[in-house]
């Protein structure tokens, strides 16, 4: 059945006025087709998805139509909706933590969908309540079907899991259960709202692969909503790009990605780190992201568009049909035909949420210098990656030697006294070095211990064994570090929303490290202003509270605070993971510039290999608390000498999907009971008996070292290719 | 658990020793209305073991308690345990009746209020709940006596024994609790109705009525159960006052009389029983929790 | 105000929108405080009561305690708007004086509870470990006694008086503050901004004062407001039982106790103080509810934002 959304408007009433979430979105999904709906946060894509299944509440549809198989859903009554939801239209939501009912077994939740499908109009109240109380699927026929479904979505040993509750499953497995609930209805269209965003890349690869297969087998249409162009391009036949509640461009995946027509699409593609050379300044989008206020009469992108003409603001933009089935909502031919390189030049000098309009004349000079600086850097993109060999002669600022950190898994007093508590080794025997001006990227799946390692280095945890050395001197946790040692390390956390005390102004937050370091008031005020300009924010931000800043601005303040007392090392724990790609680009550019300007050493923790490839000089891969591979980014991320690094690289979603090799089988084992031999062997495609018993030692491959028995063979393979 | 019970017993026994001055002297003074002689005080102390050091007094009381012996009233011939056994059933009867009245009223009203948020049904029940929590229960008791017993002559004004004796006290005591629970059920329900899994159920095509009663209500009741358990203390407190208003023999009237008469063994007995009852209720609540929320059980196993 | 914003919308240059947003968020707190119906209604009621308690006694022509046996049990009239009691005292005057007693007692007892409870909660939550375990057992013990029963025994043992009721109500009831504060501290203390403070060497005491306390205090304010109402109720209950204010002190609970013998002949003796108690408690409850929406809006606003 075909889905046809036309001129959809959705609005939310909040206490502080109406939020215009969708402002006239139009697109269609043909039966059996996979369509991707992309855009940054707040662009209205999720609201659109929810409106299709009519779960837009508390928003309201104020205009347009949603036709599905000939029925207009905006006017459908409860009975029609129930039938459609029960049989034709299924939805999978983003966060598998919260989408399953915690009080019923997964079997019952799937069986319920089966019962509804059988007869959507007859749902006996008492039968259903009783089914809930029993919470075990009774009917043999239903049970058999539920087991089939669980198997189909890839849950191992369904008989053992059918009577388990959602909390007993991992995130990826829960998302599979959600898929099973969707499939129970044999729908003709599945709407998946960011189905893999909360999951690891390796798990994501497996779920996407499963979605593709199901589309194949069931002939089921799929509307995939995502902020991640990689995910969308890997799976979709067509892509629809949304901005500020409006579809700005749509078309077949390949054409749209290779020659985007709308300036926003170009900007969005341009700021992906994977599309630029490592170390190169990323193109950014000027202006501020949409805020839900009523859109202008003309083009929604006008305020941020480098090609905007006077009439763009007032005149409604027509939807033009280009060749090869693409449509674009832009009337300016220069803009449509501009290539990415032109875009890059047009936007290079315009940081997204920097001071821009707020700057007074005095400051403008300073930022302009920054922009020129960035421009120069663009001409010699390989500069900073070629550099580390030069600084390698220096002594390392930070050294880790056999660092191990383990936690008790229980807080019970009895266990503590008897010493019977199980211990979880989060970081196991890690040795690393970091030099001035160098960026070390630390990568791995969630739970691999990379954040714990960052915390040990920062001094928030003290290591259970091994030594951390700062400037050659061993240090413990923050409570025992000297003032100059505290000043040496700055930390930037993942979530900018919680990095700053909401009750203190930006200025007060920035002044705190200075106060603790004993600076006088006058010097503090000067330094706060200096720090703000360092991160391209105008001095007036000092008086604002965190809630008045956007995510990107908050992260700039967090970076400024980390730099307050002039550290030599910056520990960056997923600094851009919570940001949109366009904001991410500006933050990455800022970090790049600061490193050059201040000769900083970065420890860059991230799950995103594209980002790490862009920023890092060297890369370390971590798995179950251990390092598996360390080496120059250029080598490790192109010719990995460890199968785990290779698997992580393979799991990166992109349009050149690797058929068949869908990343890693299974999920990481429990760190309380790590496997013998090589920790990775249960999931390794090339493991043999040796791997299960003998722990591999470090092997040198080129400039990198790898902890794999077969590192050399892998290297030979690369050479042959 | 055991630490808490030990603390409870110590506090219970220790309470009466905060009396300003010498308890024996004060008791005798108040009893006779004139200062007692030294010999009388000494005799009273010896009779009730008050001449020993506090710790040994406490320990001997505690060992008595563990054998079921709570001592003897200073003024009545009965042992404290006999008195408690005699009065406890009346209070329990009242507490249980009040609980039933309030839950039977509060849960449906709270659910309906949440489902029809911001309609007149919701507003009315919200206002009623506000009046309910803000009304002094002894005052409500008198109003009910005034209207139902005196004007309409439907129930007796005081005493205990029959169902008609129980109606007004149960309503008086249940109203406050009903108001609290209504608000709680409503809040909890509103929160749960926003949960993603409720939308999941809707997106499956499940009927709205089942979405509310099968998917939302069970989750919404989880926090309610805890609070209702905690509110048992509220019921016991309220019972004291309500028993006085309706002149029902019960732990409340026993306690008030004993406090005024400084009949310390009885005071200690009543306080201990209420505290134990409260702790036991909370243990029961934990059990109910496990039945409602599968996540808890797992937490204990792990 | 809204008109000006509407203009800026149609114009909608990025600076204008940014400024508009900033303006909106900056004033949001004050704005929602002023426009929240709960805060307005409850606040007005509470202010009114406070005014009555402070100035009312100065305006009343009658002495709240002087007996006038010739005018006993008079029905409400112009001279005595709420009638007179069994000893001929003006009920309205006694109620106005009673407001003073009730409010003063509630404020004092709440202040003590807040200080004890917040301190214990903060220390337990922040230090954790054995300190936390010990303090929380103390809280459990306190919570095992139904509030009124414990207060009743303490007040009774100390001897019936208003002062002793205040002492009794101060030493019970702090446990809920301790629980709330501890719960919030546990949540806040692992937030990155607290860890950042550790990183640049902030002493624990200063972290607790500067970073934890301001971020856990809002629910305490809400709880305290509601608690003022509860304490008015409990104090009235204790006085009703004869353990609080002693006659002839004008106290609402005592007045109800004194009026119960005349339930049939002079119902105003019980009704009037009851309504006074109720109005006070409603005021605090509504104000507390409103403050919760403004100060502790996590579930409300957050959800709206997440959806849009």
């Amino acid at each position: 059945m075909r889905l046809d959304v036309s001129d959809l408007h959705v609005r939310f009433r909040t206490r502080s006025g109406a939020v215009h979430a969708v402002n006239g979105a139009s697109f269609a999904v043909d039966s059996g087709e996979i369509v991707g709906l992309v855009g940054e946060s707040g662009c209205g894509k999720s609201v659109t998805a929810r409106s299709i299944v009519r779960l837009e509440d508390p928003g309201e549809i104020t205009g347009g139509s949603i036709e599905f198989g000939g029925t207009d859903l905006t006017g459908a009554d409860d009975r029609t909706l129930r039938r459609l939801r029960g049989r034709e239209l299924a939805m999978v939501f983003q966060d598998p933590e919260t989408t399953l009912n915690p009080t019923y077994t997964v079997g019952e939740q799937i069986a319920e969908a089966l019962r509804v499908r059988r007869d959507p109009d007859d749902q006996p109240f008492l039968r259903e309540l009783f089914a809930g109380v029993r919470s075990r699927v009774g009917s043999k026929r239903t049970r058999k079907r539920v087991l089939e479904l669980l198997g189909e979505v890839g849950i191992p040993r369904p008989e053992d899991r059918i009577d388990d509750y959602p909390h007993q499953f991992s995130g990826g497995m829960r998302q599979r259960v959600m898929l099973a609930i969707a499939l129970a209805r044999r729908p003709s269209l599945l709407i998946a709202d960011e189905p893999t965003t909360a999951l690891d890349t390796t798990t994501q690869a497996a779920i996407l692969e499963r979605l593709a297969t199901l589309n194949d087998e069931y002939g089921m249409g799929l509307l995939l909503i995502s902020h991640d162009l990689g995910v969308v391009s890997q799976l979709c036949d067509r892509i629809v790009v949304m901005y500020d509640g409006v579809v700005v461009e749509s078309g077949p995946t390949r054409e749209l990605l290779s020659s985007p027509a709308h300036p926003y699409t170009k900007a969005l593609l341009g700021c992906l780190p994977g599309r630029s050379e490592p170390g190169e300044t990323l193109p950014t989008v000027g202006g501020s992201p949409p805020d839900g206020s009523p859109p202008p009469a003309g083009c929604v992108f006008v305020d941020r568009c480098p090609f905007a003409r006077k009439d763009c603001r007032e005149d409604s933009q027509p939807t033009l049909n280009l060749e090869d089935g693409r449509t674009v909502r832009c009337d300016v031919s220069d803009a449509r035909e501009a290539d990415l390189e032109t875009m890059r030049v047009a936007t290079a000098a315009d940081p997204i949420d920097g001071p821009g309009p707020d700057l007074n004349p005095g400051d403008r000079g300073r930022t302009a210098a920054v922009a020129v600086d960035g421009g120069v850097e663009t001409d010699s993109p390989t500069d900073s990656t070629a550099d580390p060999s030069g600084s390698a002669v220096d002594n390392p600022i930070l050294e880790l030697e056999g660092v191990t950190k383990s936690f008790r898994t229980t807080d019970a007093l009895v266990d503590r006294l008897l010493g019977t508590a199980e211990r979880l080794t989060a970081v196991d025997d890690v040795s690393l070095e970091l030099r001035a001006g160098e960026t070390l990227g630390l990568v791995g799946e969630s739970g691999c211990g990379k954040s714990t390692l960052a915390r040990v280095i920062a001094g928030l945890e003290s290591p259970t064994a091994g030594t951390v050395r700062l400037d050659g001197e061993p240090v413990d946790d923050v409570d025992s570090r000297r003032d100059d040692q505290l000043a040496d390390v700055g930390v930037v956390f993942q979530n900018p929303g919680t990095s700053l005390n909401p009750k203190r102004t930006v200025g007060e937050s920035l002044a705190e490290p200075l106060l603790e370091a004993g600076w006088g008031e006058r010097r503090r005020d000067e330094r706060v202003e200096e720090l703000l300009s360092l991160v391209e924010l105008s001095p007036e931000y000092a008086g604002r509270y965190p809630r008045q800043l956007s995510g990107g601005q908050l992260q700039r303040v967090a970076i400024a605070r980390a730099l307050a007392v002039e550290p030599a090392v910056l520990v960056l724990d997923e600094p851009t993971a919570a940001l949109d790609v366009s904001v991410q680009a500006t933050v990455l550019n800022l970090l790049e510039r600061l490193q050059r300007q201040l000769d900083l050493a970065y420890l860059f923790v991230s799950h995103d290999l594209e980002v790490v490839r862009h920023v890092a000089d060297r890369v370390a891969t971590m798995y179950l608390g251990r390092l598996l591979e360390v080496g120059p980014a250029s080598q490790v991320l192109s010719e990995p000498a460890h199968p785990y690094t290779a698997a992580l690289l393979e799991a990166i979603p992109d349009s050149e999907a690797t058929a068949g090799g869908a990343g890693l089988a299974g999920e990481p084992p429990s760190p309380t009971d790590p496997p013998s031999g090589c920790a990775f062997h249960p999931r390794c495609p090339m493991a043999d008996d040796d791997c299960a018993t003998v722990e591999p030692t470090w092997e040198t491959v080129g400039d990198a070292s790898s902890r794999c028995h077969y590192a050399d063979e892998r290297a030979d393979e690369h050479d042959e290719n | 658990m055991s630490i808490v019970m030990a603390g409870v017993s110590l506090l219970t026994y220790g309470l009466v020793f905060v009396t300003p001055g010498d308890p024996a002297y004060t008791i005798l003074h108040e009893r006779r209305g004139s200062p007692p002689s030294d010999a009388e005080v000494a005799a009273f102390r010896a009779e009730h073991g008050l001449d020993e050091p506090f710790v040994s007094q406490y320990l001997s009381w505690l060992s008595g308690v563990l054998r079921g012996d709570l001592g003897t009233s200073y003024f009545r011939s009965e042992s404290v345990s006999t008195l408690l056994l005699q009065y406890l059933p009346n209070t329990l009867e009242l507490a249980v009746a009040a609980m039933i009245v309030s839950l039977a009223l509060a849960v449906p009203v709270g659910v309906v209020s949440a489902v029809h948020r911001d309609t007149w049904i919701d507003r009315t029940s919200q206002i009623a709940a506000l009046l309910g929590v803000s009304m002094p229960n002894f005052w409500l008791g008198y109003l009910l006596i005034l209207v139902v017993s005196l004007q309409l002559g439907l129930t007796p004004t005081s005493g205990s024994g029959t169902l008609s004796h129980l109606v007004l006290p149960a309503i008086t005591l249940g109203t406050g609790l009903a108001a609290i629970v209504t608000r709680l059920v409503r809040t909890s329900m509103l929160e749960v109705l926003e949960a993603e899994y409720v939308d999941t159920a809707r997106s499956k095509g499940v009927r709205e009525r089942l979405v509310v009663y099968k998917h939302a209500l069970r989750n919404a009741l989880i926090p309610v159960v805890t609070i209702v358990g905690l509110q048992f203390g509220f019921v016991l407190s309220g019972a004291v006052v309500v028993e006085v208003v309706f002149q029902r023999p019960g732990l409340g009237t026993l306690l008030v009389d004993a406090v005024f008469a400084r009949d310390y063994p009885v005071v200690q007995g009543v306080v201990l029983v209420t505290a134990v009852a409260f702790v036991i209720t909370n243990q029961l609540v934990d059990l109910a929790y496990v039945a409602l929320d599968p996540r808890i059980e797992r937490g204990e196993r792990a | 105000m809204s008109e000006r914003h509407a203009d800026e919308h149609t114009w909608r240059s990025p600076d204008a929108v940014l400024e508009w947003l900033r303006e909106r968020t900056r004033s949001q707190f004050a704005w929602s405080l002023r426009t929240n119906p709960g805060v307005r209604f409850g606040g007005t009621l509470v202010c009114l009561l406070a005014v009555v308690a402070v100035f009312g006694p100065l305006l009343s022509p009658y002495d709240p305690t002087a007996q006038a046996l010739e005018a006993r049990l008079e029905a409400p009239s112009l001279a005595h708007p709420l009638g007179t009691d069994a000893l001929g005292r003006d009920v309205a005057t006694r109620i106005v004086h009673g407001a003073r007693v009730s409010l003063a007692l509630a404020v004092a007892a709440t202040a003590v509870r807040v200080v004890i409870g917040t301190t214990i909660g903060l220390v337990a939550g922040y230090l954790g470990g054995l300190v936390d375990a010990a303090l929380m057992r103390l809280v459990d013990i306190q919570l095992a006694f139904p509030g009124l029963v414990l207060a009743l025994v303490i007040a009774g043992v100390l001897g019936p008086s208003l002062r002793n009721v205040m002492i009794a109500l101060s030493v019970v009831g702090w446990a809920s503050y301790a629980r709330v504060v501890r719960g919030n501290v546990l949540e806040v203390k692992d937030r990155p901004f607290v860890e950042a403070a550790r990183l640049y060497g902030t002493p624990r005491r200063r972290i607790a004062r500067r970073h934890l306390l301001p971020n856990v205090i809002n629910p305490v304010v809400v709880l305290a407001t509601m608690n003022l109402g509860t304490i008015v109720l409990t104090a009235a209950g204790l006085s009703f039982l004869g353990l609080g204010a002693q006659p002839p002190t004008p106290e609402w609970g005592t007045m109800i106790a004194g009026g119960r013998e005349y339930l049939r002949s002079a119902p105003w003796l019980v009704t009037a103080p009851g309504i006074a108690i109720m109005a006070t408690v409603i005021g605090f409850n509504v104000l507390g509810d409103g403050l919760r929406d403004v100060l502790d809006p996590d579930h409300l606003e957050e959800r709206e934002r997440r959806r849009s």
Side-chain angles (χ1 to χ4, degrees), chain A residues 436-521:
Chain A
E438 179 191 46
T439 300
L440 173 66
L442 188 58
V443 297
E445 291 169 283
S446 63
C448 73
K450 55 190 194 301
S451 285
T452 309
L453 182 59
R455 293 172 62 84
V456 170
I457 294 170
L460 290 169
E461 309 279 357
S462 66
T464 321
T467 332
V468 178
R469 281 199 199 90
L470 270 177
D471 270 334
E473 278 185 85
V475 290
D476 200 16
D477 66 355
V478 282
D479 295 327
S480 57
R481 289 189 190 182
R482 288 195 318 266
D483 278 356
D484 61 306
Q485 289 170 334
L486 286 174
D488 251 0
V489 185
V491 180
V492 177
F493 298 93
Q494 169 173 359
N495 191 343
T498 55
S499 310
L500 299 172
N501 186 340
K503 303 281 172 179
R504 300 181 77 74
T505 62
V506 166
E508 285 171 336
S509 285
L510 287 180
E512 273 192 18
L514 307 169
L515 189 76
E516 297 305 340
W519 292 36
E521 196 185 334

Side-chain angles (χ1 to χ4, degrees), chain C residues 136-174:
Chain C
M136 282 299 114
R137 287 298 81 73
L138 210 62
V139 166
D140 286 343
I141 292 169
Q142 140 97 78
L143 282 176
F145 295 96
L148 182 102
V149 170
L150 194 57
L152 187 147
V153 172
I154 295 175
V157 168
L158 290 176
S161 84
L162 206 56
R163 194 198 56 163
N164 290 342
V165 165
M166 209 208 82
I167 294 175
L169 289 180
S170 303
V171 298
V172 306
W174 50 264

Side-chain angles (χ1 to χ4, degrees), chain A residues 12-16 19 47 50 57-58 244 288 290-291 293-296 300 303 313 357-358 413 455 458-460 477-479 486 491 493 495 498-504 509 512-513 515-516 540-541 544 547-548 561, chain C residues 9-15 17-22 24-29 31-32 36 129-130 191-204 206 210-212 214-215 218 293-294 297 300-301 304 307-308:
Chain A
F12 287 78
R13 275 181 225 265
T14 66
R15 289 197 221 174
S16 33
V19 170
V47 177
R50 297 182 78 97
D57 189 68
D244 201 5
S288 57
D291 58 7
S293 53
V300 284
D303 293 326
R313 190 180 300 279
D358 296 312
L413 190 63
R455 293 172 62 84
L460 290 169
D477 66 355
V478 282
D479 295 327
L486 286 174
V491 180
F493 298 93
N495 191 343
T498 55
S499 310
L500 299 172
N501 186 340
K503 303 281 172 179
R504 300 181 77 74
S509 285
E512 273 192 18
L515 189 76
E516 297 305 340
E540 67 188 61
Y541 278 85
R544 299 211 178 128
R547 64 168 183 280
Q548 297 168 306
R561 183 182 55 192
Chain C
H9 272 303
T10 46
W11 179 46
R12 203 169 182 267
S13 84
D15 327 39
V17 172
L18 257 186
E19 197 48 55
W20 169 75
L21 249 183
R22 241 172 254 140
R24 197 173 65 169
T25 41
R26 191 179 306 155
S27 60
Q28 195 151 36
F29 175 71
W31 177 78
S32 54
N36 181 292
L130 284 175
R191 296 237 186 109
F193 69 83
V194 180
E195 304 204 313
R198 283 183 61 202
L199 285 172
Y200 46 70
T202 318
R204 274 166 180 253
R206 202 176 302 161
R210 201 180 276 175
H211 296 289
L212 297 180
N215 286 296
N218 283 357
D293 290 348
V294 179
L300 238 102
E301 287 257 337
E304 274 177 16
R307 277 293 170 80
S308 57

